[in-house]
Amino acid sequence: MGHIRTVVISSSAVAKQVLKNQDLAFSSRTIPDALHSHNHYQFSVVFLPVTTRWRSLRKILNSNIFSGNRLDEYQHLRSQKIQDFIAYCRQCSQTGKAVNIGQAAFETSMNLLSSDIFSKDVVDPYANSGKEFKDAMWKIMEEAGKPNLADYFPVLKWIDPQGMRRCIGKHFEGLIDELL
């Protein structure tokens, strides 16, 4: 149906060989048309093909965020965020309030990342301030995961027949508004 090149690897031995020896040949992935909204795909290390920009972004991530030294430096921060999560659950237990574990885990993860990158928390679990951000992210993921005719028939991309690019664009704008 349509036009999407797909490779299926059916055994772990072949998968290991491909990931070890042919990783560059299989690293570029098809980008869903809906994610072309706001040109997000041009700046995300997830969707960039293996180019100079991708290598630069990956080098920055590896040296500044995911390096062993950097992870060791922020061990205390991770411990603190887990303690905050436990304190939130304890307070909810004492007041008889139900805990939405998914929401609380998302907020903890967001605060861990934002503390590492911006040196401040972006959501307050007691005020449920991360709900709008999480909802916007969830809607983007849902829309991006839906089958889109423009992905199968490239001639339809400029029409956006299902309106998915426009819909994700609105969610991206909501996400940016939440961050600002």
Side-chain angles (χ1 to χ4, degrees):
M1 180 171 134
H3 172 70
I4 292 182
R5 190 170 297 144
T6 305
V7 175
V8 177
I9 300 172
S10 59
S11 75
S12 60
V14 174
K16 183 177 179 180
Q17 181 182 356
V18 166
L19 293 172
K20 185 176 179 183
N21 303 327
Q22 304 294 325
D23 60 335
L24 288 179
F26 288 98
S27 63
S28 297
R29 59 180 73 172
T30 303
I31 303 166
D33 181 62
L35 291 177
H36 284 79
S37 177
H38 291 281
N39 296 323
H40 173 70
Y41 71 99
Q42 293 178 345
F43 306 103
S44 171
V45 74
V46 174
F47 295 112
L48 282 173
V50 179
T51 60
T52 306
R53 178 183 282 172
W54 179 83
R55 290 181 205 283
S56 297
L57 285 173
R58 181 145 177 205
K59 190 181 294 183
I60 290 167
L61 288 172
N62 286 335
S63 63
N64 295 317
I65 296 178
F66 300 123
S67 71
N69 290 340
R70 185 72 168 179
L71 291 173
D72 289 344
E73 281 179 35
Y74 284 97
Q75 173 63 33
H76 71 282
L77 183 62
R78 289 192 302 277
S79 294
Q80 179 60 46
K81 295 305 169 195
I82 294 299
Q83 292 304 317
D84 293 348
F85 176 74
I86 292 169
Y88 172 73
C89 291
R90 184 178 295 120
Q91 182 181 7
C92 288
S93 172
Q94 291 170 347
T95 60
K97 179 182 171 189
V99 177
N100 181 341
I101 295 294
Q103 181 70 26
F106 177 81
E107 291 169 352
T108 300
S109 299
M110 283 303 305
N111 282 339
L112 181 60
L113 284 171
S114 67
S115 293
D116 186 18
I117 297 169
F118 305 120
S119 299
K120 73 176 234 174
D121 290 347
V122 293
V123 295
D124 178 7
Y126 300 101
N128 204 15
S129 62
K131 185 174 182 348
E132 295 83 14
F133 184 81
K134 181 184 176 200
D135 290 346
M137 288 294 297
W138 189 258
K139 288 174 185 173
I140 289 169
M141 289 188 309
E142 277 183 338
E143 289 296 323
K146 288 180 182 176
N148 186 356
L149 288 173
D151 291 331
Y152 297 102
F153 302 102
V155 72
L156 297 176
K157 285 185 181 195
W158 66 277
I159 299 173
D160 192 22
Q162 294 166 275
M164 295 176 111
R165 198 175 329 114
R166 286 186 304 275
C167 185
I168 283 188
K170 290 177 187 174
H171 296 312
F172 272 136
E173 289 167 10
L175 194 62
I176 291 167
D177 290 344
E178 284 297 318
L179 289 173
L180 299 177

